[in-house]
Amino acid sequence: MAEITTKPTYTVRPATDKDVPGINTIVNHEIEVSINNFNYGPRSAEDALKWLNSTIDGGYPILVAIAIIDNQEVVGGYASLGSFRQKDGYRYTAEYSLYIHHEHRRRGLGRILLKDLLDEARNRKFHAIIGSVSEGNEASLRLAAEFGFRVVGTMKENGFKFNRWIDNTFLELLL
Ligand SMILES: CC(C)(COP(=O)(O)OP(=O)(O)OC[C@H]1O[C@@H](n2cnc3c(N)ncnc32)[C@H](O)[C@@H]1OP(=O)(O)O)[C@@H](O)C(=O)NCCC(=O)NCCS
C-alpha cells in the first residue's frame, strides 16, 4: 500500500467481492500482531470470499470505508454483523466486527463505520447487537460506550493466544 501523507476522504458502502483482498489484509495483520482476533494463522483469500458470501447470504451487512489513494480504491476499514448463535431464537441478535487498517486509525473511521452499521442493523430489524472485546482493547471499549453499549461482563481466560490466557469482555446494545 502507498504511504499515506494526507488524510484521504472516505466513502462508506456495502462490501463486494472486489473488497475481499483489502479486508483480508486488515484482518490478517490483526491476527498476526494482536489478540483482538483469536485466530493464530492468516485467513486464506478463498476463506475470506466464503465469509463475505455467507455473511451477505445470511442477511448480515458488511460495510467498507474506501479511500482513493494514487487513483486506487483502498479499504481503510470494515464493519460487519454476523451470527451470534445459530439457534432460531437468536435470529434478532447479531455480533459485530469492526476493523480499521492500522495506518488509517484515529481518523474517525471506526466511529463512522459503527454508526452506519448500527443504522443498517436497525433497518434490518435486529434487536440486540453483541460485542466481544479482548482484554486491553481500550479503544474498542471507549468507542462502543459512545454508542450506548453496556458491559455485560468479563469472561476470564476464555481465549488462548501467544502462549497465554486472555480475558474477554462482552458488550450489548439493544436497538
Ligand atoms: C478499535 C478501532 C476499531 C477504533 O477505530 P478508529 O478508526 O481508530 O477509531 P476513531 O478514530 O473512530 O475513534 C473513535 C473513538 O474511539 C476511541 N479510541 C480510538 N482509538 C483509541 C485508542 N488508541 N486509545 C483510546 N481510545 C481510542 C476514542 O474514544 C475515539 O474518540 P476520540 O478520537 O474523539 O478520542 C481500531 O483501533 C481497530 O480496528 N482496532 C483493532 C481491531 C479491533 O479491536 N476491533 C474491534 C473488535 S470488537
Side-chain angles (χ1 to χ4, degrees):
M1 181 182 295
E3 191 189 341
I4 304 161
T5 47
T6 55
K7 181 182 167 180
T9 304
Y10 296 93
T11 308
V12 175
R13 60 160 171 74
T16 68
D17 291 11
K18 70 178 180 182
D19 302 314
V20 166
I23 291 173
N24 216 28
T25 297
I26 296 170
V27 170
N28 283 339
H29 177 267
E30 210 54 33
I31 289 173
E32 191 183 341
V33 305
S34 86
I35 56 169
N36 296 325
N37 181 311
F38 278 174
N39 281 333
Y40 291 176
R43 183 173 64 175
S44 69
E46 191 188 358
D47 283 352
L49 185 59
K50 275 189 202 154
W51 161 80
L52 180 117
N53 287 325
S54 65
T55 299
I56 293 171
D57 292 348
Y60 298 102
I62 307 176
L63 301 177
V64 280
I66 300 291
I68 305 292
I69 298 172
D70 294 340
N71 292 320
Q72 292 202 321
E73 285 200 343
V74 171
V75 180
Y78 85 93
S80 64
L81 293 179
S83 167
F84 171 61
R85 287 187 169 189
Q86 300 284 338
K87 293 191 173 67
D88 298 338
Y90 289 112
R91 63 195 298 180
Y92 297 108
T93 297
E95 184 168 347
Y96 80 93
S97 293
L98 175 65
Y99 287 79
I100 308 303
H101 189 289
H102 60 282
E103 292 176 4
H104 294 253
R105 288 184 191 163
R106 292 318 292 257
R107 298 172 172 196
L109 269 195
R111 181 179 287 130
I112 289 168
L113 276 169
L114 188 53
K115 180 194 176 300
D116 287 0
L117 186 75
L118 294 174
D119 286 346
E120 190 56 35
R122 286 185 190 92
N123 291 340
R124 295 184 188 217
K125 310 295 180 206
F126 285 105
H127 180 65
I129 304 299
I130 307 298
S132 163
V133 178
S134 299
E135 66 184 47
N137 191 344
E138 291 309 315
S140 279
L141 291 179
R142 281 177 61 175
L143 181 56
E146 212 182 283
F147 286 87
F149 280 86
R150 89 184 159 88
V151 173
V152 177
T154 296
M155 289 193 180
K156 304 297 285 179
E157 303 188 359
N158 71 349
F160 186 82
K161 189 172 178 184
F162 299 147
N163 220 22
R164 69 180 183 90
W165 297 108
I166 297 156
D167 296 351
N168 214 239
T169 295
F170 280 84
L171 311 173
E172 183 184 34
L173 177 69
L174 296 183
L175 299 177

